[in-house]
Amino acid sequence: MALWQIFGETKHNLEVPEKNIPNKVFAHNGSEGEEPQRQTAIWPRPLAQKWTVTLFLGTCLLYCARMAMPICAVNMATTFGWSKTQSGVVMGGFFWGYCFTQVLGGHVSDRIGGERVLLLATTSWASITACTPLLAQLGISSLTSMTVARFLMGLLQGVHYPSLASLCSQRVDEGERGFLMSTMGSGSYMGTLMVGGLGSAMLERYGWESVFYGAGLLSGLWSLTVWRFLLRGQMNTIQVLSSHGSSSGLSKKRWLKMFKQPSVCAMVFAHLCFSSTCYSLMSWLPTFFKDTYPHAKGWVCNVIPWLVAIASALFGGIISDHLIQQGFRTSSVRKMMQFMSMGVSSVFLLLLCRPLSFPSAVIFVSAAMGLATFNSSGVSVNVQDLAPSCAGALFGFMNMCGAFTGLVLVYVSGYLIEVTASWGYVFSLFTMVNTMGLGVFLMFGEANRVDLWNLSADCRPYYNMHMKK
């Protein structure tokens, strides 16, 4: 069987173009009813371009603020007399908060619009970031105040990606979603590079306080700009359907219906596997290079893979959108991108299991990290294909579970390194996890909508005949 047969055929032979599909369908009582989706306006191309740049910068600043504490941790520990364990408690507070607001943030974004949630959340965590040096000087223990601040940062930043997923499903055409999500992914890599370079320079010259002031003030400026030029005076209220036909509710019955769909379970499982290996790889790569190549230049392995990831994420988004616009089935494109992200990238991880020179290791790690970014055009966008009416909440659930499983795999990886003293077992474990997730997604992944709550069984074939991906 040819590889492309796994991914599927093109959709040139459909009798009815997707763009000409009416917004009305026949309800179960035989009368015409509105399509079970909120009637939200798709951004025109000029506005979409403005929002793409704005959200890229917002994601970049999000990571600048997120990584400020790890960059300054050593200096702050010296100032306040923290031990390694106490420093870990402070930085770990972020991830506990991050897990708790994923579903809630996505659900609220589905109801009132991701733009508003992003603006409110960004303004809040920007204020906390800018005030962090002041909080550290309060009368209470610096360890307590900083842990609470990091926990609140996690709570507020936890809504970012679910809100993006909801916003993308509400405001962006299907054939342009891959590029938007990939651009957001490249923004995270750019933010990591910025705070690693510029933040380190500010840390050495002006002290650790300057890093928090800079990240907080720039993020606050972003919020002010969004409010002043993109949202102020616009009443873009998201129309929420009545309780009779609402597709955005989080009732237990609707969640169970959705998770009975093999395509949804396959997407969630693939996301868990990818998130776990991605978190673990990012956590242990610096240690891998330090242990294996102790005399190599650290900035090379800390900069080059991220530069490759930025370019690769943008390239993947462009390719996926181009293929969909050329008529390839959406499900075929999603599977192809995920194959590159979890399949081909794992080949380069396996190559790291044997002894290599430092340049070869950097090349293989950069290739693996670059290909992994294609996930932004695969599973990360698939949630918007399957359930656009509740994409934010569903993505939040996926991201929450992915964060927990990521923490588990990070611990297991550390245990393997300590027991076996071999990085080969770790990279083999990552490959195995990726292979399982990819296999399930290739077999059961689809792109047909599963959130058509108020359509009867007789009406769904009519709808899916026109909406078939």
Side-chain angles (χ1 to χ4, degrees):
M1 179 181 292
L3 179 62
W4 188 253
Q5 288 179 296
I6 299 177
F7 299 130
E9 308 293 337
T10 63
K11 59 181 179 181
H12 285 300
N13 57 346
L14 292 180
E15 295 180 1
V16 182
E18 292 185 11
K19 293 181 179 179
N20 296 329
I21 298 170
N23 287 331
K24 291 188 177 181
V25 294
F26 291 97
H28 64 276
N29 59 4
S31 61
E32 281 189 344
E34 290 298 322
E35 176 187 333
Q37 181 181 6
R38 290 177 307 281
Q39 303 303 309
T40 55
I42 297 296
W43 283 330
R45 184 171 295 274
L47 183 58
Q49 292 172 346
K50 292 179 181 178
W51 270 107
T52 299
V53 174
T54 301
L55 294 174
F56 169 82
L57 294 175
T59 305
C60 180
L61 292 171
L62 177 97
Y63 271 79
C64 286
R66 180 182 300 185
M67 297 301 295
M69 181 66 75
I71 290 293
C72 301
V74 175
N75 294 66
M76 295 179 69
T78 302
T79 302
F80 300 112
W82 296 341
S83 65
K84 295 289 185 183
T85 302
Q86 290 173 325
S87 297
V89 169
V90 172
M91 290 188 288
F94 175 89
F95 295 99
W96 290 110
Y98 187 75
C99 294
F100 288 127
T101 51
Q102 297 282 333
V103 177
L104 177 62
H107 175 57
V108 174
S109 298
D110 291 334
R111 303 284 293 187
I112 68 172
E115 308 100 313
R116 298 183 176 188
V117 175
L118 283 173
L119 178 62
L120 179 61
T122 302
T123 303
S124 301
W125 60 253
S127 301
I128 293 178
T129 302
C131 293
T132 295
L134 302 178
L135 296 174
Q137 303 298 330
L138 293 178
I140 61 176
S141 167
S142 60
L143 180 65
T144 301
S145 62
M146 290 298 94
T147 302
V148 172
R150 289 296 289 175
F151 179 78
L152 293 176
M153 280 282 292
L155 284 176
L156 294 167
Q157 291 199 354
V159 307
H160 186 82
Y161 281 103
S163 297
L164 284 179
S166 178
L167 184 62
C168 190
S169 67
Q170 295 168 0
R171 301 298 193 186
V172 182
D173 281 326
E174 177 188 74
E176 298 177 354
R177 291 172 182 169
F179 179 72
L180 177 62
M181 294 302 291
S182 297
T183 302
M184 300 309 102
S186 65
S188 66
Y189 308 132
M190 179 64 75
T192 303
L193 279 177
M194 282 181 58
V195 74
L198 183 59
S200 298
M202 294 174 63
L203 175 64
E204 293 181 4
R205 186 165 185 176
Y206 302 109
W208 64 268
E209 296 90 348
S210 64
V211 180
F212 289 95
Y213 288 142
L217 291 176
L218 287 176
S219 301
L221 181 61
W222 181 91
S223 297
L224 181 62
T225 302
V226 170
W227 167 251
R228 176 66 179 83
F229 296 101
L230 292 176
L231 289 183
R232 186 177 181 183
Q234 297 183 14
M235 300 302 294
N236 291 331
T237 304
I238 306 300
Q239 296 181 11
V240 182
L241 298 179
S242 66
S243 59
H244 175 74
S246 175
S247 61
S248 61
L250 284 172
S251 67
K252 180 179 178 180
K253 182 178 179 180
R254 288 173 177 172
W255 275 108
L256 290 176
K257 280 185 178 181
M258 198 155 51
F259 280 100
K260 286 180 180 179
Q261 301 294 326
S263 57
V264 174
C265 294
M267 174 189 66
V268 172
F269 183 71
H271 184 79
L272 296 187
C273 293
F274 174 82
S275 297
S276 300
T277 56
C278 186
Y279 284 142
S280 301
L281 194 61
M282 293 172 63
S283 299
W284 288 112
L285 272 181
T287 306
F288 165 73
F289 279 109
K290 185 176 181 180
D291 290 349
T292 311
Y293 310 98
H295 303 295
K297 295 181 179 180
W299 69 268
V300 175
C301 55
N302 289 329
V303 172
I304 292 181
W306 299 113
L307 290 176
V308 173
I310 293 172
S312 179
L314 295 174
F315 176 75
I318 294 173
I319 290 297
S320 66
D321 287 352
H322 175 73
L323 291 175
I324 292 175
Q325 291 168 2
Q326 289 300 309
F328 287 94
R329 290 167 61 96
T330 304
S331 58
S332 304
V333 176
R334 304 297 184 229
K335 290 180 179 181
M336 183 185 71
M337 303 305 289
Q338 205 62 29
F339 178 80
M340 300 295 293
S341 174
M342 301 180 73
V344 180
S345 66
S346 295
V347 175
F348 291 97
L349 292 181
L350 285 177
L351 293 175
L352 294 170
C353 295
R354 59 189 182 90
L356 296 169
S357 64
F358 178 69
S360 298
V362 172
I363 291 174
F364 292 156
V365 167
S366 299
M369 294 293 291
L371 290 168
T373 64
F374 282 32
N375 177 77
S376 298
S377 304
V379 165
S380 290
V381 191
N382 190 224
V383 64
Q384 300 159 27
D385 303 323
L386 297 179
S389 64
C390 54
L394 183 56
F395 187 86
F397 174 80
M398 292 165 50
N399 227 24
M400 178 187 68
C401 295
F404 280 120
T405 55
L407 291 174
V408 172
L409 191 59
V410 168
Y411 172 79
V412 173
S413 302
Y415 177 78
L416 280 177
I417 296 170
E418 184 177 349
V419 172
T420 66
S422 171
W423 286 95
Y425 288 102
V426 176
F427 292 127
S428 298
L429 175 63
F430 294 166
T431 301
M432 182 182 68
V433 174
N434 272 341
T435 302
M436 289 192 301
L438 177 62
V440 171
F441 187 70
L442 291 181
M443 285 189 292
F444 300 106
E446 292 293 342
N448 295 319
R449 286 189 61 177
V450 298
D451 60 344
L452 307 178
W453 313 117
N454 64 342
L455 288 185
S456 66
D458 295 334
C459 299
R460 286 193 180 97
Y462 170 83
Y463 182 84
N464 283 324
M465 177 182 66
H466 299 310
M467 294 298 291
K468 186 176 180 181
K469 302 289 191 290

